[in-house]
Amino acid sequence: MLELTMAAVSAAEAGATAGMLMADAPSEPGTVLRVGRDTSLCRLATPDDWLFVSRVHLEFQCAQDGSWQLTWLRGSLPEPSSEVRLTVGEYAQPVAYGGTVPLPRGGSGEVVIQDRTAPRSVNVGFYHEV
């Protein structure tokens, strides 16, 4: 099972946890959880006017072996207006635009979508239960 929690944070709300959204899915091959602005396609949706987040920005997908991977989907622009980083424990790594990274089995961490033009972010915590 993969559990996600999401909070949209602006400078004025730094540290606030109100309005957190949650989603989960079983670790079955082909299962997908998406994060973005489009509520019809994404289980976790960001504010409509946060244009630094694509309609479908992140995709968490379960592989054949029950592991999960994260993909930062390419949007309609050649250059993104955000940055994405994955943090697991003390280790943080940027995620490439259009890139895919594995999530640790039985681990937890955070994926942050950071606006490049304003002090706001979308923070998605994850926990992979084995």
Side-chain angles (χ1 to χ4, degrees):
M1 164 114 20
L2 183 70
E3 299 173 353
L4 302 177
T5 57
M6 184 189 82
V9 181
S10 66
E13 302 164 332
T17 56
M20 277 192 144
L21 301 174
M22 302 175 89
D24 60 23
S27 293
E28 296 172 358
T31 300
V32 174
L33 287 169
R34 294 182 183 96
V35 176
R37 291 189 342 263
D38 190 332
T39 57
S40 67
L41 298 172
C42 300
R43 290 274 304 274
L44 296 174
T46 63
D48 286 340
D49 61 343
W50 283 31
L51 300 180
F52 70 97
V53 177
S54 301
R55 287 181 55 238
V56 181
H57 202 90
L58 301 177
E59 183 174 87
F60 295 84
Q61 184 171 24
C62 186
Q64 290 297 321
D65 64 358
S67 65
W68 285 84
Q69 62 185 22
L70 164 70
T71 301
W72 179 7
L73 301 170
R74 283 191 159 278
S76 58
L77 301 175
E79 288 296 315
S81 53
S82 62
E83 296 174 355
V84 175
R85 72 180 175 277
L86 170 67
T87 302
V88 177
E90 295 180 17
Y91 179 71
Q93 74 178 67
V95 178
Y97 187 44
T100 299
V101 294
L103 297 180
R105 268 190 178 276
S108 62
E110 183 176 52
V111 181
V112 176
I113 305 168
Q114 181 71 52
D115 188 345
R116 288 184 170 170
T117 63
R120 57 188 179 174
S121 65
V122 175
N123 300 8
V124 180
F126 67 87
Y127 174 68
H128 181 203
E129 184 179 295
V130 277

